[in-house]
Amino acid sequence: MSLDTQTKILTDVCDCALCKYSGSHMMLKDAERMKYQISLNDVSPEDLNSIKELIEKHAHYFEKTVMGNFGDDVRYSYHPDNFEISEIDADSFTYDAQISYYEGCKDKNYTDTHSDTIEYKIIDGEIIFDVDELVWDVR
């Protein structure tokens, strides 16, 4: 079966305040990779700091890719408020996202940082990138 035949396309609207206001993105699903588009609006494609801030405002896009590493284990949680882009250039960015683990015993609880580098493109005033949202079976 060809990739085109396997591809499922979903159009969805995010419920974040920025997207409710501007309708700034769509999500397309291809197997377990999600393609995200964020409208630049008035941001210049050369202004990497503003692009960084715009992506950070959409930290919730990265929850499934970060949490996919832990299966459906409810002891782990994602903290979008602590999502940060540590490096950005014209075609990729590196992010750090905090994950907490709750064991039930305070001496076993901890917070860790997940980092990844994502390639992106700017096409027709849109930041376009995709992430792997495959949920790992960690049993």
Side-chain angles (χ1 to χ4, degrees):
M1 185 181 323
S2 73
L3 182 60
D4 290 335
T5 307
Q6 295 175 5
T7 301
K8 285 182 175 178
I9 298 179
L10 299 174
T11 302
D12 198 359
V13 177
C14 172
D15 60 359
C16 76
L18 180 65
C19 293
K20 281 183 179 179
Y21 173 74
S22 66
S24 69
H25 82 279
M26 292 173 38
M27 298 183 299
L28 305 175
K29 185 167 184 171
D30 177 352
E32 296 299 330
R33 293 203 65 84
M34 289 295 285
K35 181 178 183 178
Y36 291 96
Q37 297 172 263
I38 303 171
S39 176
L40 286 175
N41 295 324
D42 296 329
V43 173
S44 167
E46 291 81 31
D47 185 352
L48 295 179
N49 193 49
S50 293
I51 291 172
K52 172 186 176 287
E53 291 172 5
L54 189 57
I55 295 169
E56 287 175 341
K57 287 180 184 175
H58 288 80
H60 58 283
Y61 286 2
F62 300 88
E63 180 172 8
K64 287 184 181 178
T65 192
V66 171
M67 296 306 294
N69 295 317
F70 305 103
D72 292 326
D73 192 334
V74 297
R75 296 175 295 177
Y76 292 91
S77 62
Y78 173 71
H79 300 281
D81 294 341
N82 294 320
F83 178 91
E84 182 178 271
I85 294 179
S86 56
E87 295 179 33
I88 188 167
D89 60 34
D91 57 6
S92 68
F93 60 88
T94 300
Y95 70 84
D96 300 317
Q98 281 193 347
I99 303 141
S100 291
Y101 175 79
Y102 300 100
E103 176 76 27
C105 299
K106 68 179 179 180
D107 62 329
K108 293 185 178 182
N109 297 342
Y110 65 89
T111 299
D112 200 5
T113 301
H114 171 84
S115 298
D116 197 4
T117 299
I118 305 293
E119 293 181 359
Y120 73 95
K121 295 179 181 182
I122 296 179
I123 301 172
D124 297 329
E126 302 274 335
I127 304 167
I128 301 171
F129 60 93
D130 64 274
V131 293
D132 182 359
E133 294 188 350
L134 179 66
V135 176
W136 289 88
D137 185 353
V138 293
R139 289 181 269 163

